[in-house]
Amino acid sequence: MAAIHPLKFISVAPLKKHTATVIFVHGLGDSGYGWKPVADMFKTDPAFHNVKWVLPHAPPMKVTANMGMEMPSWFDIYDFKPNTPDDEAGMLRTVHLLNQLITNEIDAGIPASRILLGGFSQGGAMSVVTGLTTERKLAGIVALSAWLPLKDKLKAMVSDHYKSVPIFWGHGKEDPLIRYEYGVRSIEFLKSTLGIPTAAPDALEKGGLIFHSYEGLEHSTNMQELSDLKEWLKKVLPAQD
């Protein structure tokens, strides 16, 4: 078996003492640099002066659905149509690599309860799977314009504490790639099959899922979604000195 090399990444350093980490995972064909402007914007808010951002780069691989072209990808995509089989081996490899990034932060002195894992599209899908199955209870999980893969296996994979991890899910109603209905079905599965509760608006930090939909938003993010995410982050990852 080929060796699994640790992920390369960029870091956005905190402005004050490092007491929390956000690991944010990009989508297909992108790199960690694609989300650095968001990290730079968030860190100007005093609530996030303690937060370090870790923005990993997916390794290049051939993607079947893109005519076998090589590009940064967290796993192979066989087709963009619904009900296409998952690249389980590729996904589990990425779960392992993201867990390594979490371990790096814990080894640096940041407790799991102060580490948040999130991502966009492919990266969001991997963040949900990793966050629900890791043995460490994280501060929260973020999925933007994403979907839930490995549904046939996930129920047997989830951790003991998965129902109490806060989850923020945002999705554009006009998304032509990861369609809004895919996000809705994923939410329904998380709630009905896995039993994840809806988050209480006045106690987001205690766990459960909050779902935001955005009119007119395609496969991207916008200022409203980022504003909603920022307010949620302030609840689940409060500032510490």
Side-chain angles (χ1 to χ4, degrees):
M1 181 184 293
I4 300 179
H5 298 288
L7 291 172
K8 296 178 180 180
F9 58 87
I10 58 172
S11 295
V12 177
L15 296 176
K16 290 185 177 179
K17 180 184 176 183
H18 179 204
T19 66
T21 298
V22 172
I23 301 170
F24 200 87
V25 189
H26 67 76
L28 178 67
D30 199 1
S31 73
Y33 290 103
W35 286 87
K36 186 175 183 294
V38 173
D40 288 338
M41 178 179 70
F42 273 49
K43 82 171 189 178
T44 62
D45 189 312
F48 304 119
H49 283 181
N50 318 84
V51 176
K52 169 188 172 184
W53 289 71
V54 174
L55 308 172
H57 309 304
M61 64 178 294
K62 293 180 180 179
V63 177
T64 303
N66 281 348
M67 300 177 290
M69 292 172 57
E70 190 172 274
M71 62 186 63
S73 186
W74 298 109
F75 50 85
D76 195 7
I77 299 176
Y78 303 128
D79 202 308
F80 290 112
K81 295 177 182 177
N83 302 317
T84 298
D86 292 320
D87 172 19
E88 182 178 343
M91 291 178 176
L92 294 180
R93 182 174 58 250
T94 293
V95 168
H96 173 74
L97 290 168
L98 293 178
N99 269 304
Q100 284 186 339
L101 292 182
I102 294 168
T103 298
N104 291 347
E105 294 306 302
I106 292 172
D107 289 348
I110 304 301
S113 61
R114 296 286 293 167
I115 300 171
L116 186 133
L117 178 63
F120 175 80
S121 193
Q122 247 199 351
M126 287 294 85
S127 294
V128 174
V129 173
T130 305
L132 293 179
T133 60
T134 184
E135 63 186 21
R136 286 76 62 98
K137 184 181 175 184
L138 303 178
I141 303 167
V142 174
L144 307 182
S145 305
W147 76 100
L148 183 68
L150 300 176
K151 288 182 177 142
D152 293 340
K153 304 287 179 70
L154 202 54
K155 195 167 185 178
M157 294 168 59
V158 290
S159 65
D160 293 337
H161 49 255
Y162 76 96
K163 291 183 182 179
S164 60
V165 178
I167 303 172
F168 179 102
W169 194 299
H171 214 118
K173 287 192 171 182
E174 303 303 322
D175 192 330
L177 188 60
I178 310 302
R179 296 186 180 277
Y180 178 70
E181 64 194 71
Y182 302 168
V184 170
R185 288 178 196 161
S186 297
I187 296 297
E188 290 172 351
F189 183 91
L190 290 171
K191 289 183 175 181
S192 62
T193 302
L194 295 186
I196 293 176
T198 299
D202 57 346
L204 298 176
E205 71 283 356
K206 293 186 177 179
L209 192 153
I210 184 168
F211 179 55
H212 289 275
S213 57
Y214 299 94
E215 298 285 348
L217 180 61
E218 298 187 358
H219 195 59
S220 183
T221 189
N222 61 17
M223 292 309 297
Q224 183 59 58
E225 182 175 57
L226 294 177
S227 176
D228 291 339
L229 175 58
K230 182 184 285 190
E231 293 309 307
W232 178 83
L233 278 173
K234 288 178 181 179
K235 299 287 179 60
V236 304
L237 207 60
Q240 279 186 359
D241 292 326

